[in-house]
Amino acid sequence: MVNFYSPKKNKKSAATNSQLIGQRVTVTISHLDHLAQGVSKDHEPLLFVEGVLPNEVVEVEITEHRGKVCHGRLLNIVEASEYRQQPFCPHIDICGGCQTQHCQTDAMLQFKQSAIENLILHTALESNQSAPQPKRVLSKATRGGKNKKLRKFSDKQGEINWQSALHSNPKGYRRKTRLSVDARNPDALKLGFRSKGSNKIFSLQQCPVLNQELEQLIEPLQSLFVKFQTPSNIGHISLLNGDNGVQVSIRTIHTLSQQDRELCTEFAKQNDLQLIIEDKQSSSDLATQADKQLVYGVNSSLSLQIHNDDFVQVNRDVNQQMIKQAVDWLELEKTDVVLDLFCGIGNFSLPIAEQCKTLVGVEGVPKMVQRAQHNASINKLNNCHFIHSDLNSTKLSDDVQMKSCNKVLLDPAREGALAVVKQLAELQPSHILYVSCNPATFARDAAQLIEKNYRLDKLCVMDMFPQTAHTELMALFVPLNKRK
């Protein structure tokens, strides 16, 4: 076949020059997608809008048009949903953090569940084995059309068995956050978050989703940095609340002056916290609590030691519920050998190890492997073995310890675990428990497991970040021939 050259179309230019840009339309929102964006099916092209709810009639300005998809900006609510509420945060109009405060929490959980079910069905039906990411445009099946593959999927999988969502108090739940600093104008220093749709920092006064110990540090930190000789040296500030105290980490661009370091030391003493200064070369503890190691409990009997740069689940209540449910769904027995992939510092590993014969944890970051092993040691668990391995390239069946496991838990990052999932069926585990922080990559990976004759046995939404569009999932897969 002869191939003729044709120049590629400039998609950016096409989007910019679309005649739809700037148009104002009144539409009905049919449902939310997995990013909590409203979708209007009766608009052509398909229209996505933030800040709206299902069944609302809204006036929208078209801001972007690419192919079969448009995005719009909400101008006016003509007919409001019964689930709409007044946001409680004073920064809601400028902060880019909490996108769903306009909706009652219980209703938003149901909307998210419906969106994820559509996403899973779409990806399972239309998945392309060679594509690393699932398509974002909804298929005919989810837009009300007919698709013969739907019957085949239903014959193999059946309906999704949704379990009750895991959730917590929608306020005061965050035990970890990061604040940015804008000190270009020393007379108007700003400490806060990024503005919505912008890199600009706004000055934070309060944050109702932070727990009290962290929220009450906002104003004292602002007062501290105003006194600095060179506040422009500050990059960002991380706040972490453990079960036994608070840690503040100040990341600096350049080494702080002795005067500024002394101000930090005094601040730590006055507020009874651990303060760490980090620069490009090293970090140093300036607080009176230098010998204190922060910990957080994963259940009633186990606690993990944490460092300032560790990944920590920000929602303590949901994390503990999540761990308990994972242990229950795995149906652990004293003879089980469990493989914990992407194990981190042992958040799931240690509670599982309490109830099985052997726990094999695998993590790609060497220092996390060391900390996980240390956490097992201080909790007197001697049946844990932690391995450093790049799970994007590891062949699981080549490792003696991994291939001996009969149950698997995986908790990957947002990129998902496609390379791992393609291999799991070779180990023939009786239970595969998948914890996901990205519904899109989960749907892609779930399609692979279903293709390998595993059934999605249970699924639940975990509201780790109330008031946001972010959704986490827990799913249990079992062999197709396993009795329900």
Side-chain angles (χ1 to χ4, degrees), residues 14 45 47 51 54-55 62 110 112 129 185 188 192 200 247 269 286 305 309 311 323-324 330 347 367 401 404 472:
L47 177 61
N55 300 319
I62 306 297
Q110 289 299 315
K112 286 180 176 181
Q129 303 257 347
N185 181 356
K200 294 182 179 179
Q247 182 184 87
K269 291 178 180 178
L286 301 182
Q305 288 189 357
D309 57 348
F311 172 78
I323 292 168
K324 181 180 184 303
L330 284 169
N347 192 56
K367 64 182 179 181
Q401 293 187 82
S404 66
E472 304 210 355

Side-chain angles (χ1 to χ4, degrees), residues 246-248 272-276 285 287 289-292 294:
V246 173
Q247 182 184 87
V248 175
D272 191 28
L273 53 80
Q274 187 180 61
L275 194 145
I276 296 173
D285 191 332
Q289 302 178 16
D291 58 341
K292 177 185 286 189
L294 244 60

